[in-house]
Amino acid sequence: MNIVKITKDNFEQEVLKSNCKVVIDFWATWCGPCQMIGPVLEEIAAEHEDIKVCKVNVDEERALAMKFQVASIPLLVVMSNGEIVNSVVGFRPKEEIVKALGL
């Protein structure tokens, strides 16, 4: 499954109405740890086709960042059936991310 760029316009369809587990990566271009976690999420997305990996640029989508009360990035939010089931703040090794996802 490809990584999906999330905006306020596609959030409901891609995240809330998704019929699979969704991981939202709140990030910014200027954030070093965010740049480090990107390739890890790409690996996870390639290895686990039963999840959808989404990215929200907090500088471009401030309303979504406020909705999720993003105070620090990177922030990974795991959602299932439109509900938050877990979240992880900061860079983490792949194994910790996979565990947080319940994979």
Side-chain angles (χ1 to χ4, degrees):
M1 187 173 285
N2 291 328
I3 294 180
V4 180
K5 179 180 178 181
I6 298 298
T7 66
K8 65 181 182 334
D9 297 327
N10 70 355
F11 175 79
E12 182 176 349
Q13 184 63 38
E14 294 290 345
V15 177
L16 297 180
K17 292 185 177 179
S18 179
N19 55 6
C20 64
K21 192 177 286 188
V22 178
V23 181
I24 308 170
D25 175 20
F26 289 91
W27 71 288
T29 56
W30 48 264
C31 169
C34 298
Q35 301 304 323
M36 293 169 48
I37 209 167
V40 175
L41 290 174
E42 289 175 12
E43 283 181 31
I44 292 170
E47 294 169 359
H48 299 276
E49 294 188 7
D50 55 332
I51 64 166
K52 181 187 290 188
V53 177
C54 302
K55 294 182 77 71
V56 175
N57 184 320
V58 296
D59 291 330
E60 295 173 358
E61 297 296 331
R62 293 185 188 273
L64 286 175
M66 288 176 55
K67 178 178 179 153
F68 282 84
Q69 300 176 342
V70 176
S72 297
I73 55 174
L75 170 65
L76 300 180
V77 175
V78 183
M79 299 188 71
S80 182
N81 298 317
E83 300 290 325
I84 297 172
V85 295
N86 203 356
S87 63
V88 178
V89 178
F91 178 78
R92 297 285 190 268
K94 181 180 175 182
E95 297 76 30
E96 284 187 38
I97 295 172
V98 169
K99 184 177 180 182
L101 297 176
L103 302 174

